[in-house]
Amino acid sequence: MADQTVQLTDSAANKSTALPVVTGSLGDPALDIAKLNKETGYFTFDPGFVSTASTRSAITFIDGDKGVLLYRGYPIEQLAKQSSFLEVAYLLINGELPTAAQFGAFDDEVTHHTMMHESLRHFLNGFRYDAHPMAMLCGSVATLSAFYHDTLDIADPEQRRLAALRLIAKMPTLAAAAYRFSIDWPVRYPRNNLEYVTRFLHMMFEVPSEPLQLSPVAAKALDLLFILHADHEQNASTSTVRLVGSTGANPYACVAAGIAALWGPAHGGANEAVLKMLGEIGTADNVSKAVEKAKDKNSGFRLMGFGHRVYKNFDPRATIIREMCHKVLADLGVNDPLLDVAMKLEEVALKDPYFVERKLYPNVDFYSGIIYKALKIPTEMFTVMFAIARTAGWVAHWLEQHNDKDTKIGRPRQIYTGATNRDYVPLDKR
Ligand code: CMC
């Protein structure tokens, strides 16, 4: 396969160019176009990178037609059933499942990097009273680079490892602090006798005056959601982390950029948007009207939580979440009318030719918001929850990028459509 090429023929110039074929261990082959411009004078044009592989990666594989998602080769269904978020984070970063000793050491290190510096806590208090927690998270993660100078030398593998670990460890602390700020509650420090997800839930909900009664169902559900959101190959936020990383920027700046990319409603912001949409639809009776509106291109309205750039059959994460959603609501004794709206919406859309023809299925975010709501996590925090989980993927990709000898600064080209060369006209002559 190494010497396979595809001939590109420029009939106008009567010239043929051989493009090398690049293959991975799974998935479609790619054409290596790195020398295309030099050899032919042409660029490629691919808005949204629909047909472009930006890197080699051994972390996550998706088969969008078959609804397959593998982390380091392990099917998401098996990890969801048998693993934990922290073990998945180890797997994504290191490539293999840990032994008990390796996991113990990793857990111990993460646990002992959960505190934030007191100055950072004071810094958070400087936000306006109604700051969105994603704004606070984005700002505070970037600010970590002003605190941890011992991990800014990205040429040092040990500093890179430590930075990655710090980001995984501190993200829940910063996220919970942003939430507590929004409700004017004092920050709770991380309790190191608890495991990752339970520790986060304590930082979110514990009050100083009494112990927190935490449902094991809640911790289990959140752990599962974190596993499902941990990585998704070269999605918009991960590609952002890699693009910023390609410049040699420090890891905190890279991940802050990833958080900014995640915030958009076409990406991680969709879980917040889904719940708002379900609330606006209100009852199952209004579902057909909403579906009609989503089909009308002039309405500017899309069904949030529907569609995916890569999955054109079903999103395997959505299948797992859908099942979990019913179980969590039953176990917690929550009767949420929005679930009825969501189920009706799914039923109507999946039968509608518009959605069938375009292969638009519920994605991971369609049901996650309903679970977060049942766990009493406020809507503005939904994308923050996604960010905590995706940090594992972001740092795994950032580490991989810095071990890849082919890494170059990311610098796409363009098709220029502006004015052609013209002469400056002095102000008094215009
Ligand atoms: N509702 C109605 N129509 C839709 C939707 C939707 N949710 N999604 C896509 N379409 C239509 C779109 O109008 C287009 O129609 P046509 O071919 O007639 O022009 C066709 O389907 C293809 O859409 P696209 O925008 O070219 O597809 P894309 O791959 O560029 O976008 C997407 C993928 C996820 C951004 C898009 O489906 C969308 O906006 N979905 C809603 C937001 C959402 O749920 N995002 C979360 C994605 S999963 C989690 C994550 O990645 O963070």
Side-chain angles (χ1 to χ4, degrees):
M1 243 5 204
D3 299 330
Q4 192 191 342
T5 56
V6 167
Q7 291 296 322
L8 177 78
T9 305
D10 179 350
S11 38
N14 198 17
K15 194 178 152 194
S16 206
T17 309
L19 297 177
V21 172
V22 186
T23 50
S25 49
L26 289 170
D28 293 340
L31 299 178
D32 180 349
I33 55 162
K35 295 195 180 125
L36 185 73
N37 182 252
K38 213 162 139 198
E39 289 179 3
T40 68
Y42 286 107
F43 289 124
T44 55
F45 180 56
D46 183 19
F49 310 116
V50 176
S51 298
T52 298
S54 60
T55 185
R56 286 186 171 86
S57 179
I59 300 174
T60 289
F61 174 74
I62 302 172
D63 183 330
D65 292 326
K66 296 199 184 111
V68 169
L69 171 60
L70 310 176
Y71 291 167
R72 298 285 189 182
Y74 295 102
I76 192 66
E77 293 79 5
Q78 291 183 23
L79 294 168
K81 211 170 189 172
Q82 298 174 65
S83 188
S84 68
F85 171 68
L86 208 56
E87 185 179 66
V88 164
Y90 181 100
L91 173 69
L92 290 171
I93 290 172
N94 296 292
E96 297 296 334
L97 285 169
T99 62
Q102 286 166 334
F103 182 72
F106 181 68
D107 188 11
D108 191 63
E109 267 198 294
V110 168
T111 300
H112 289 96
H113 280 100
T114 49
M115 286 284 285
M116 68 171 136
H117 197 284
E118 280 300 284
S119 299
L120 184 51
R121 193 169 65 81
H122 297 311
F123 171 84
L124 289 176
N125 284 331
F127 277 92
R128 211 179 103 136
Y129 66 95
D130 55 355
H132 194 287
M134 278 298 277
M136 293 182 72
L137 192 71
C138 194
S140 56
V141 168
T143 306
L144 289 175
S145 53
F147 286 87
Y148 298 104
H149 305 286
D150 60 339
T151 46
L152 298 186
D153 178 3
I154 59 160
D156 177 352
E158 177 51 23
Q159 292 198 32
R160 294 202 298 267
R161 191 193 71 84
L162 190 56
L165 214 116
R166 276 208 178 110
L167 278 156
I168 291 174
K170 292 186 199 301
M171 201 61 77
T173 313
L174 295 172
Y179 167 60
R180 310 252 327 180
F181 178 83
S182 72
I183 52 169
D184 210 10
W185 279 11
V187 161
R188 299 305 286 165
Y189 290 106
R191 295 230 244 124
N192 286 356
N193 59 329
L194 301 173
E195 61 74 45
Y196 192 85
V197 168
T198 318
R199 183 164 57 231
F200 169 64
L201 287 169
H202 271 81
M203 286 190 283
M204 284 282 287
F205 297 121
E206 197 175 39
V207 292
S209 44
E210 57 187 81
L212 178 70
Q213 302 299 330
L214 193 62
S215 150
V217 176
K220 181 85 197 102
L222 193 55
D223 195 69
L224 181 52
L225 285 173
F226 280 1
I227 292 174
L228 299 178
H229 282 99
D231 194 42
H232 215 225
E233 52 120 300
Q234 310 306 322
N235 59 87
S237 58
T238 303
S239 294
T240 302
V241 170
R242 277 188 179 260
L243 187 64
V244 180
S246 77
T247 71
N250 75 68
Y252 308 106
C254 296
V255 170
I259 293 171
L262 187 75
W263 198 355
H267 190 10
N271 54 13
E272 186 176 336
V274 167
L275 218 74
K276 282 197 183 125
M277 175 191 74
L278 293 176
E280 277 161 21
I281 295 173
T283 65
D285 297 345
N286 295 329
V287 159
S288 298
K289 238 189 305 167
V291 169
E292 288 310 310
K293 192 173 164 196
K295 287 157 53 179
D296 174 6
K297 294 278 194 288
N298 296 322
S299 72
F301 171 71
R302 283 186 167 199
L303 284 191
M304 300 314 289
F306 264 78
H308 197 275
R309 169 61 62 78
V310 185
Y311 293 120
K312 300 298 175 198
N313 187 335
F314 65 96
D315 179 340
R317 304 166 302 172
T319 311
I320 299 170
I321 290 190
R322 185 182 198 277
E323 193 183 306
M324 187 193 24
C325 187
H326 289 280
K327 186 170 160 26
V328 169
L329 264 57
D331 286 357
L332 294 177
V334 173
N335 185 9
D336 190 339
L338 291 190
L339 184 60
D340 298 335
V341 179
M343 280 166 52
K344 184 75 187 170
L345 191 58
E346 189 183 21
E347 185 194 317
V348 173
L350 289 183
K351 281 193 204 134
D352 192 296
Y354 174 98
F355 289 87
V356 175
E357 281 157 20
R358 288 170 181 75
K359 301 187 173 177
L360 301 170
Y361 294 86
N363 60 48
V364 68
D365 286 328
F366 190 64
Y367 281 104
S368 64
I370 297 175
I371 302 177
Y372 286 138
K373 185 164 173 257
L375 302 182
K376 299 199 168 36
I377 290 166
T379 315
E380 299 74 47
M381 283 293 288
F382 288 1
T383 313
V384 171
M385 311 304 287
F386 194 157
I388 297 174
R390 186 55 58 87
T391 299
W394 289 332
V395 299
H397 282 271
W398 180 79
L399 289 169
E400 183 181 63
Q401 164 179 56
H402 284 286
N403 281 322
D404 182 352
K405 62 176 177 29
D406 289 340
T407 294
K408 277 167 119 73
I409 185 168
R411 205 315 185 175
R413 299 304 302 265
Q414 62 172 11
I415 308 293
Y416 176 68
T417 59
T420 54
N421 204 326
R422 51 185 170 165
D423 292 325
Y424 179 81
V425 180
L427 190 59
D428 59 345
K429 300 261 165 30
R430 275 177 239 156

